[in-house]
Structure formats: C-alpha cells, structure tokens
Amino acid sequence: MKLRIGYELDYDFPQPTPMILMLHVHFSRVSELDEPDHMRLDPPVRVSAYRDGFGNWCSRLVAPQGRVRISADAVINDSGLPETIRHDAGQVPVELLPEECLVFLLASRFCDSDRLLDLAWQLFGHVLPGAPRVQAICDFVHQRIAFDYNDASVTRTASEAYREGRGVCRDYAHLAIAFCRAMNIPARYCTCYLGDVGTPPPFPPGDFAASFEAYLSGGWEMFDPRNNVPRVGRVLIARGRDAADVAITTTFGPNTLVGFRVWTDEVIEA
C-alpha cells in the first residue's frame, strides 16, 4: 500500500523568528519513501539540519517577518496490514536493560512517573509483567481520559491528565508512558503520521498523532492508548522522552498559527 503524507503549516510572524522543526519521516522509514518529504518554505528561507540526541532529524531556520508557509508532500510504502503486538513479550529486568533504554525509565517534563508510582503499583501490580501489563495500562488510560480537541493543553502533565480525565492523544501517551516507567518498563514518546485507513467514517480532520513504544523482551513495541486498537499506516516521525523532545515546531518569538493541515491518505492505484 502507498500513502500520501504531508502537511501545510501557515504562520504569521511579527518579526524574524528562529525555529526548530521536527517534521521529516524518521530515518528508520526513509528507505520506504517513493518521493522524498522535502520541506518547502514560502517565501524561500535557508534551512540547516542536524540530528538531536535521540537520532531525530531536525531543521533549523529563521522565519522572516510576515506570512510563512511550511509544507511537504510525499509518498511512502506501507505493508497495509494492521499493527501487531507480541502479547507474549516479557518484561526485561532493569539490571539487564541496554544502557540506551535507561533514560526512558526516568521521570521527565510531562511524564512525571514519580508522582504516579504508588498508584501505578496499586492499579497494575497484579497484572502479568510484560506485554499484558502494558496493555492493561493502555486499556486503563483509554477509559480514563475523554478525548476532546478543545481540551488540548501544552502544559498538562501525566499526573494532571489522570486527575482531570481529559485531553488529546499526547495526554494519553504521556499517562501511559508515566505508568510504564513507574512499573520499571522503559517507554518513549512517538510523534507519527496516522490516517484513517481501515476505520469507518466519518473521519476527523487530519493531524499528527502521539503514541509510545515500550521496551520488552525482543525490543521496542508500539502501543496506542488513544485508539487502543491495531491501526494501519502509522508512519514514525520522531521519538523522545515526551512531547517536549519531539515538538513538530519550536518557535523562539511571538507568532500566530493561522493555518494547519495534515494528511495521511491511501493512494488508490489504477
């Protein structure tokens, strides 16, 4: 299956403004692109690039004063199959974890697992360690949080999401990650493209999606507490400790986002 993926972000800047963008398809899937996801800027602006500490590809620029459009449009190959989870995957003892996993056991800006430690063990301590425990966490979070775009908050932590019982996909991911870390399961936040392939209409407006990966025996496994069902066509963009590490745009000055469009659509081939 082929997917057309892309975005258009329209900003209004009252003055020249530095930006960091994290919008390219993750390096682990670049080889599956039929058309590169080149970033386009209108008006044209010089862009430099670097890799952050988690291996994500980042773009750096200074947006000029006035209206600026940032966009990309590409085609990527996908299996077309629903995601699979190894339900028999076990939990890896902390002392046997690879060193690169250890940072994903620690509390972070939005995944304040230290505040949820006792609650996590009360809720999930009786569940079989490994994939069953992570799935139990996803089931709980899926039921605990009511999804509403109007409830989005850029400052809400995992513990606040638990108390308030509302939020958007990043809040589902943050709470599940925090519970996993409290249970000694490494978990990392993922920003992705995710369309509606294989789901019934009506379809919501396109957007980027948050999910997370948990480290179990055999490696990292993707989980999605927001949807909590296997999905088709998830395309990874970036990974980090939480949303602060993988913001799609970070601006260093005043601005107004005046237009936002994201697409992840199946390409129907004749």
Side-chain angles (χ1 to χ4, degrees):
M1 181 180 75
K2 294 182 184 295
L3 296 170
R4 181 165 291 281
I5 57 175
Y7 55 86
E8 287 181 353
L9 309 178
D10 293 314
Y11 284 91
D12 194 5
F13 293 99
Q15 62 193 38
T17 304
M19 299 183 74
I20 296 173
L21 310 175
M22 204 174 296
L23 286 162
H24 287 292
V25 169
H26 194 261
F27 68 82
S28 61
R29 296 207 60 178
V30 164
S31 63
E32 298 169 273
L33 285 166
D34 272 0
E35 301 175 12
D37 60 335
H38 292 312
M39 182 181 295
R40 299 176 177 85
L41 289 106
D42 182 18
V45 175
R46 181 181 178 275
V47 179
S48 60
Y50 67 95
R51 291 202 184 277
D52 68 7
F54 300 103
N56 302 309
W57 191 245
C58 306
S59 301
R60 189 176 179 186
L61 58 92
V62 177
Q65 181 179 359
R67 186 66 60 89
V68 176
R69 168 166 288 182
I70 305 165
S71 64
D73 187 42
V75 173
I76 192 167
N77 292 281
D78 190 82
S79 70
L81 300 174
E83 297 165 316
T84 59
I85 297 173
R86 295 178 301 109
H87 296 287
D88 60 344
Q91 186 163 332
V92 180
V94 172
E95 64 271 20
L96 298 180
L97 287 169
E99 282 75 14
E100 61 269 22
C101 292
L102 299 180
V103 68
F104 299 110
L105 284 176
L106 307 178
S108 58
R109 165 69 178 87
F110 293 112
C111 298
D112 47 350
S113 51
D114 48 342
R115 294 180 180 272
L116 295 167
L117 186 63
D118 292 340
L119 176 64
W121 283 97
Q122 291 171 17
L123 292 172
F124 311 112
H126 65 284
V127 182
L128 185 69
R133 181 171 282 171
V134 180
Q135 187 58 57
I137 289 171
C138 290
D139 294 343
F140 178 87
V141 171
H142 182 74
Q143 294 295 323
R144 178 74 183 184
I145 298 179
F147 183 89
D148 190 331
Y149 279 115
N150 294 323
D151 284 328
S153 169
V154 298
T155 61
R156 184 182 291 122
T157 65
S159 61
E160 290 169 341
Y162 172 78
R163 289 195 301 271
E164 296 172 13
R166 58 192 175 93
V168 293
C169 59
R170 64 179 262 157
D171 299 302
Y172 288 77
H174 284 154
L175 182 53
I177 289 168
F179 277 142
C180 284
R181 292 178 185 172
M183 304 298 293
N184 299 327
I185 303 169
R188 60 190 183 188
Y189 184 98
C190 299
T191 297
C192 309
Y193 286 102
L194 181 62
D196 300 297
V197 177
T199 66
F203 303 129
D207 200 353
F208 296 109
S211 53
F212 77 98
E213 293 175 324
Y215 190 85
L216 302 169
S217 60
W220 293 98
E221 296 280 348
M222 182 71 75
F223 291 87
D224 181 354
R226 159 69 178 97
N227 296 292
N228 210 31
V229 293
R231 295 294 295 268
V232 175
R234 191 187 309 273
V235 179
L236 181 66
I237 296 174
R239 301 182 179 117
R241 292 167 297 182
D242 56 34
D245 287 333
V246 295
I248 58 171
T249 63
T250 302
T251 54
F252 299 89
N255 65 88
T256 303
L257 180 64
V258 294
F260 179 87
R261 192 162 73 92
V262 179
W263 53 91
T264 310
D265 300 324
E266 182 178 3
V267 177
I268 305 301
E269 300 180 276

